[in-house]
Amino acid sequence: MTEFIQQLLNGLSLGSIYALIALGYTMVYGILQLINFAHGEIYMLGAFTAYYLVFYFKLNFILALVLSMIITAGIGVVIEKLAYKPLRNSSRVSALLTALGVSMLLQNLGLKIFGGDPKAFPQLIPNKPIFIGDLIIFNQQIVIVVVAIILMVILEIIVHYTKIGKAMRAVAFDKDAAKLMGIDSNMVISFTFAIGSALAAAAGVLIGMRFNRIDPLMGMMPGIKAFVAAVLGGIGSIPGAVLGGLIMGISESLVVGYLSSTYRDAIAFALLIIILIIKPAGLLGKNIKEKV
C-alpha cells in the first residue's frame, strides 16, 4: 500500500506538468479547432528562457518563472500571428500541417541556437526529501503541485470572472456571433495563445528544475503526452485537460513503479486508443455533430 501511495504522489507532480501543457492544447482547440503541435516546443522554449535568465541575470525561482512565462507568451503570440493567422480561413488540414512545420522549425532552431548537448538546469530550489512514515516526498514535487494549482486557479478566474474570459468563451461558442457582438476575435485568439504559451513555459521551468536537464528536443514526448491528456479529458474542456493530465501522470508513475520504465511512454498511447474506442469525445468532452 505504501508503494502505491508513493507512486500516486509521484504521479501527481508529473500529472501537474502534463495538465499545464494540456491546457494550452485544449484552449487553442476550443477557440480555433486547431491542434497546435508546436506547443511542446513552446514548453521547451520556456525552459531555455528561464535557463538563460538565471545564467546571465542570476534570477531566483519566482522571477525566472514569471519572466519566462511572459517572454514565452510573447513568442506564442508571434507564432500565432505569423504562422496561424494567415491560415485562419483555410482548411483544418492546412493549419495542421503548418503546426507540424512550426514544431519542426522550432526544434531545428533550438538545435542551432542552443546546441544539441543537454544543459544542466540550475538548482533554483535545492531538492530535499521530506519523510512521512515510509513515504518520501521531495520539496520540488510539492512546489510543482502548488505552482500548478495556483496557475490553474488564476486561469479559472480569468476564464470565468473577467471580461476577456467572457470574450474567450463567446468566441469558442460561436466566432461569427461573437464578431457581431463587437468582440475582437483576433485579440481573443492572441490572448489565448499567450495564456497557453505561458502555462507551457511554466511547465518547462518546473520540469527543468525537477530533472535538472533540458535539451532542444525535450518538448517532443511531453508534448505528445499532453496532447493525449487533452484528448483523454475531452479536448476543448479546461477541467478535462487537468483531469487528463493527472490521469496520464499517475498512470505513468504506476507503470514505472509496478512494471518497467520501458513502458512509461507506451501507456500514453494505450490510454489514447482505449479512450478513442470507449468515449471518443473524452471523459468530460461533449459529442458535437458536424453538418456535412
Side-chain angles (χ1 to χ4, degrees):
M1 191 62 186
T2 303
E3 174 68 17
F4 181 73
I5 296 173
Q6 182 70 62
Q7 295 305 332
L8 283 182
L9 293 172
N10 293 339
L12 193 62
S13 63
L14 184 61
S16 300
I17 298 290
Y18 290 145
L20 286 176
I21 308 172
L23 282 168
Y25 274 110
T26 212
M27 287 172 65
V28 169
Y29 184 84
I31 295 285
L32 284 178
Q33 283 73 54
L34 165 70
I35 299 170
N36 181 17
F37 280 116
H39 200 59
E41 279 59 55
I42 298 291
Y43 154 87
M44 175 271 291
L45 288 175
F48 271 95
T49 303
Y51 170 82
Y52 284 109
L53 284 172
V54 175
F55 186 82
Y56 286 109
F57 303 106
K58 313 297 180 193
L59 301 183
N60 60 29
F61 169 69
I62 294 176
L63 280 175
L65 177 71
V66 172
L67 285 178
S68 170
M69 290 175 67
I70 293 171
I71 293 170
T72 312
I75 294 172
V77 172
V78 170
I79 291 173
E80 188 273 326
K81 296 287 186 192
L82 294 180
Y84 300 134
K85 188 178 178 183
L87 299 173
R88 195 75 55 78
N89 297 317
S90 302
S91 67
R92 290 187 186 181
V93 175
S94 301
L96 190 67
L97 291 175
T98 302
L100 288 170
V102 173
S103 170
M104 287 188 279
L105 175 66
L106 292 177
Q107 284 177 19
N108 284 283
L109 281 177
L111 288 169
K112 185 74 176 175
I113 296 170
F114 307 133
D117 295 331
K119 289 184 167 45
F121 199 83
Q123 280 280 326
L124 295 172
I125 297 176
N127 200 19
K128 296 178 182 175
I130 299 168
F131 296 93
I132 304 174
D134 294 330
L135 298 173
I136 304 173
I137 306 172
F138 289 91
N139 61 336
Q140 289 184 350
Q141 291 177 303
I142 296 174
V143 170
I144 288 172
V145 174
V146 170
V147 170
I149 290 173
I150 291 172
L151 292 176
M152 289 173 194
V153 170
I154 293 174
L155 177 65
E156 185 72 9
I157 291 171
I158 290 174
V159 171
H160 290 283
Y161 300 102
T162 65
K163 193 174 178 181
I164 185 67
K166 191 181 289 184
M168 288 168 67
R169 286 183 284 134
V171 173
F173 185 75
D174 191 326
K175 197 186 302 177
D176 294 328
K179 275 184 183 176
L180 292 174
M181 297 297 291
I183 294 173
D184 185 350
S185 60
N186 287 326
M187 185 272 290
V188 171
I189 290 168
S190 295
F191 184 78
T192 304
F193 268 84
I195 293 286
S197 300
L199 293 174
V205 176
L206 293 173
I207 210 72
M209 177 191 72
R210 180 74 184 97
F211 295 106
N212 196 30
R213 179 182 182 277
I214 58 173
D215 66 79
L217 303 181
M218 63 180 281
M220 288 177 63
M221 192 50 71
I224 293 172
K225 290 180 181 178
F227 168 64
V228 172
V231 174
L232 180 66
I235 194 157
S237 164
I238 289 178
V242 176
L243 177 64
L246 293 177
I247 291 175
M248 184 66 66
I250 291 171
S251 302
E252 189 174 318
S253 290
L254 290 174
V255 166
V256 171
Y258 287 101
L259 295 176
S260 166
S261 59
T262 308
Y263 303 118
R264 66 185 311 161
D265 295 334
I267 186 66
F269 302 104
L271 284 172
L272 179 63
I273 293 169
I274 292 169
I275 197 65
L276 287 179
I277 293 172
I278 297 174
K279 199 170 186 304
L283 296 174
L284 301 183
K286 296 177 182 176
N287 287 314
I288 299 173
K289 294 180 180 177
E290 293 192 9
K291 295 178 181 178
V292 178

